[in-house]
Amino acid sequence: MNRIISFWESLSSKKRGLLFVSAGMVCLAGCLILLIFTESIFSTVLLYFSLGFNIIGLYILMWIKDRRKKDDKK
């Protein structure tokens, strides 16, 4: 558990955002595969997870972009 926490703390904010977006994309792909090949309710759960991961990741990336613009003005 300490390895996971130290790994997470050592990541930059941009890498954390990209990690959330990539997790969202993986969940979205899994959702589409389940939706196409089965009629599983789990595909809906994966869709909600993918939306959550993508929103969090995009928020982090936009926050970094906004912070860089403010730093450039100083």
Side-chain angles (χ1 to χ4, degrees):
M1 189 68 177
N2 287 333
R3 285 185 183 177
I4 295 171
I5 293 171
S6 66
F7 172 74
W8 184 256
E9 290 175 349
S10 67
L11 288 176
S12 67
S13 294
K14 185 175 183 178
K15 287 184 181 178
R16 287 180 191 176
L18 291 174
L19 188 65
F20 274 113
V21 170
S22 63
M25 292 299 152
V26 168
C27 286
L28 186 62
C31 167
L32 291 175
I33 289 170
L34 282 175
L35 194 61
I36 291 171
F37 294 112
T38 65
E39 294 181 6
S40 174
I41 294 176
F42 192 64
S43 65
T44 307
V45 174
L46 273 178
L47 178 66
Y48 291 135
F49 276 125
S50 71
L51 289 174
F53 284 141
N54 283 323
I55 289 170
I56 291 169
L58 290 174
Y59 177 76
I60 291 171
L61 292 175
M62 294 303 287
W63 174 70
I64 292 169
K65 186 178 178 183
D66 186 46
R67 193 175 68 182
R68 283 186 184 162
K69 285 182 183 177
K70 287 180 182 176
D71 290 340
D72 289 342
K73 290 180 183 177
K74 291 182 180 178

